[in-house]
């Protein structure tokens, strides 16, 4: 891949809907990391699992944001794998919080499928997976 092709690939990830994904993931990074950092620092013994999961969610969001901004095929693939892992996490934690609420004395970012975050945690990886797969298909059509 030439540098021009790499630049086109990079632009595809952060143009159009990709720009919105970067913005939304950036907001989620700030929300999840700041919330978990405060909770871990001030009341970790109250709900360690919930606060640790929120911190993990923040790290996942950060990596996806970085990958989308970085662009390129390797970053697209890494973001796609991470989005699938994120979706599995949201579905697992969401189901767990509904099935056994006593395991979570306080909510995580992914509790109840992200209800506390307007369900963005479950909708965001679905949207990102679609966008990342679509951007790959378009790249294959033009190459």
């Amino acid at each position: 891949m030439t540098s021009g092709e790499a630049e086109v690939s990079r632009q595809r990830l952060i143009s159009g809907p990709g720009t919105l994904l970067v913005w939304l993931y950036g907001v989620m990074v700030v929300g999840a990391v700041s919330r978990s950092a405060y909770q871990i620092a001030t009341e970790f013994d109250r709900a360690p699992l919930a606060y640790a999961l929120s911190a993990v969610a923040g790290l996942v969001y950060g990596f996806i944001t970085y990958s989308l901004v970085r662009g390129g095929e390797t970053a697209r693939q890494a973001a796609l794998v991470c989005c699938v892992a994120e979706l599995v996490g949201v579905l697992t934690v969401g189901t767990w919080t509904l099935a056994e609420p006593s395991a979570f004395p306080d909510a995580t970012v992914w509790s109840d499928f992200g209800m506390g975050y307007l369900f963005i945690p479950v909708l965001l990886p679905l949207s990102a997976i679609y966008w990342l797969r679509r951007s790959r298909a378009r790249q294959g059509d033009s190459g």
Side-chain angles (χ1 to χ4, degrees), residues 90-127:
V90 172
L91 295 176
T92 301
V93 172
T95 302
W96 190 2
T97 57
L98 293 176
E100 191 168 338
S102 63
F104 295 90
D106 203 354
T108 74
V109 174
W110 294 342
S111 292
D112 304 318
F113 306 104
M115 185 169 63
Y117 286 79
L118 304 173
F119 296 102
I120 291 171
V122 76
L123 297 173
L124 197 53
L126 290 170
S127 302

Side-chain angles (χ1 to χ4, degrees), residues 19-119:
T19 303
L20 180 60
L21 287 174
V22 168
W23 186 84
L24 288 170
Y25 270 113
V27 169
M28 293 304 290
V29 169
V30 172
V33 170
S34 61
R35 173 184 176 165
S36 64
Y38 174 79
Q39 290 171 322
I40 288 169
T42 61
E43 52 194 14
F44 186 70
D45 57 335
R46 181 169 165 231
L49 178 60
Y51 303 152
L53 285 171
S54 288
V56 168
L59 293 174
V60 169
Y61 295 145
F63 180 79
I64 294 169
T65 303
Y66 169 77
S67 296
L68 290 170
V69 170
R70 178 169 164 73
E73 182 57 21
T74 302
R76 188 195 65 76
Q77 289 174 354
L80 184 58
V81 168
C82 222
C83 286
V84 170
E86 174 195 359
L87 182 59
V88 169
V90 172
L91 295 176
T92 301
V93 172
T95 302
W96 190 2
T97 57
L98 293 176
E100 191 168 338
S102 63
F104 295 90
D106 203 354
T108 74
V109 174
W110 294 342
S111 292
D112 304 318
F113 306 104
M115 185 169 63
Y117 286 79
L118 304 173
F119 296 102

